[in-house]
Amino acid sequence: MYYNSKTIVYFDGNFLKAEEAGADLYGQSLHYGYSVFEGIKSYSTDYGTKIFKAEEHYERLKKSAELMHIPFDYSVSQLTDLTYELLERNGFSDAYIRPLVTCSPNMSLSKGKESYLSLLAWEWSNGYLADKMKIMTSGFQRPNPKAFKIEAKVGGHYVNSILACQEAKDKGYDEALLLDEYGNVAESSGANIFYEKEGTLFTPAKGSILPGITRQTVFEICSELHIPVKETFFKPEEMRGADAAFFCGTAAEIVALDSLDDVPFTKDWEDTASGKVQQAYQKLVRVLSL
Ligand code: PMP
């Protein structure tokens, strides 16, 4: 359940009950996936409830709207303040926050004329050290960066994610690993990927990925912990059987991977640099320093 009779949402300038908020049936967002959104987490920390990397998420939301030609005037500080108010009105601390920007009634294929901001939140605390995931190389490619603004977080892009994720689940895996048009590893349906060999971390270079805020946080953690990390293009065979691998994203946090296409990652997670990164991330979101 994402909401109940008490849940409050923000919609187009007002706080109202989730049950009373409705979507417009005549908008381009519903028909064409022409919307932009974010996925943000708040945590109960030593300093009270804190939204992790609020500025980075709201900068990306504004950038996504700009790249999609969707008019959107909220400032980062307005968005952040509204989000704290939303959390307070709902009494949430550990929560997932979903800002969504949709467009006004218009069935044409020209740019959005007006937009509406919705802010939704639901309680969420990750099972830290969730089960390791078994993943498979997807039959679906990531959207071609020449066909989409791949660095924007756009509703329509996620049809590709749904197809890939469901294909993996139907075949008995937990998640999909999508490749780019050249057969290089890109990312999962909703998270970035790293693998580890002899103490060095490798992650796909930008091009066909959503360059995640958590991915950037991993770079910061690696720099702090003196763990070498390389952004590069590589094929799935280069990472099969590596020492370790993980997905990272706001929702997933850092999730260890068990195997790729049934080939296990070989080292004990506790003995890997990846395991150290996972612990550091848990500390960072709750204590706000490493
Ligand atoms: N890739 C995709 C396709 C995603 O949907 C997400 C989640 N937003 C990520 C990567 C990870 O991004 P972030 O770390 O900013 O949550």
Side-chain angles (χ1 to χ4, degrees), residues 60 142 153 158 187 189-192 210 212-214 248-250:
R60 185 169 67 188
R142 281 280 296 159
K153 203 162 160 61
Y158 286 80
E187 59 182 337
S189 61
N192 293 115
L210 182 80
I213 291 162
T214 318
C248 69
T250 300

Side-chain angles (χ1 to χ4, degrees), residues 60 186-188 190-194 203-204 209-216 246-249:
R60 185 169 67 188
E187 59 182 337
S188 83
N192 293 115
I193 190 161
F194 285 75
T203 195
I209 60 167
L210 182 80
I213 291 162
T214 318
R215 174 180 180 272
Q216 186 57 38
F246 59 87
F247 281 150
C248 69

Side-chain angles (χ1 to χ4, degrees), residues 196-217:
E196 175 177 339
K197 256 187 193 165
E198 290 165 9
T200 297
L201 296 184
F202 298 86
T203 195
K206 288 182 192 174
S208 290
I209 60 167
L210 182 80
I213 291 162
T214 318
R215 174 180 180 272
Q216 186 57 38
T217 307

